[in-house]
Amino acid sequence: QVQLVQSGGGSVKAGGSLKLSCVVSGYGYSQYCLGWFRQTPGKAREGIAGIYTARTTPFYADSVKGRFTFSQDNGKNTAYLEMNDLQPEDTAMYYCATANYCLLGLPTEYWGQGTQVTVSS
């Protein structure tokens, strides 16, 4: 069975940095289908970074472009999200995701357990 285990969340002051990790096990790992999402109470889950088949470079939402960096280590079946210059509005539960195929958008088939990121002013 596909499992995604996340780590690296926590609390930081505005302007600080965190790096999230997502280790994929089972048969779910795909170097072409990896995504990061975030969600706050009362709002829809938002795709913020990742890779899918139709793209040759990572996708970033406008809200994080220039501050967050997606990367992966295929030998370790691990995806990363480096978050820099964090702001209070970045406070959310962050999730990683993968799928067997993801031609036109970020994958949403299998999900990590989520990790809380809290940014204080």
Side-chain angles (χ1 to χ4, degrees):
Q1 289 187 297
V2 177
Q3 288 188 307
L4 294 83
V5 179
Q6 300 178 225
S7 61
S11 298
V12 296
K13 296 287 188 180
S17 298
L18 287 171
K19 188 173 184 178
L20 307 182
S21 298
C22 177
V23 180
V24 182
S25 63
Y27 297 104
Y29 185 81
S30 171
Q31 62 182 298
Y32 305 111
C33 298
L34 293 165
W36 289 96
F37 297 74
R38 66 185 182 187
Q39 188 171 28
T40 56
K43 297 182 179 180
R45 194 167 296 186
E46 174 192 19
I48 57 171
I51 191 71
Y52 51 92
T53 304
R55 294 191 64 89
T56 57
T57 57
F59 161 82
Y60 297 100
D62 288 342
S63 57
V64 307
K65 191 173 298 182
R67 299 187 297 121
F68 291 13
T69 302
F70 169 87
S71 63
Q72 56 187 298
D73 185 336
N74 295 330
K76 296 180 179 179
N77 288 6
T78 302
Y80 303 96
L81 185 67
E82 178 73 34
M83 304 183 293
N84 298 312
D85 192 27
L86 284 161
Q87 301 298 314
E89 52 264 41
D90 296 315
T91 295
M93 186 73 73
Y94 284 71
Y95 300 87
C96 61
T98 191
N100 292 330
Y101 40 87
C102 54
L103 179 62
L104 299 177
L106 294 177
T108 57
E109 186 174 1
Y110 306 109
W111 296 92
Q113 82 278 16
T115 187
Q116 180 68 36
V117 171
T118 301
V119 185
S120 61
S121 59

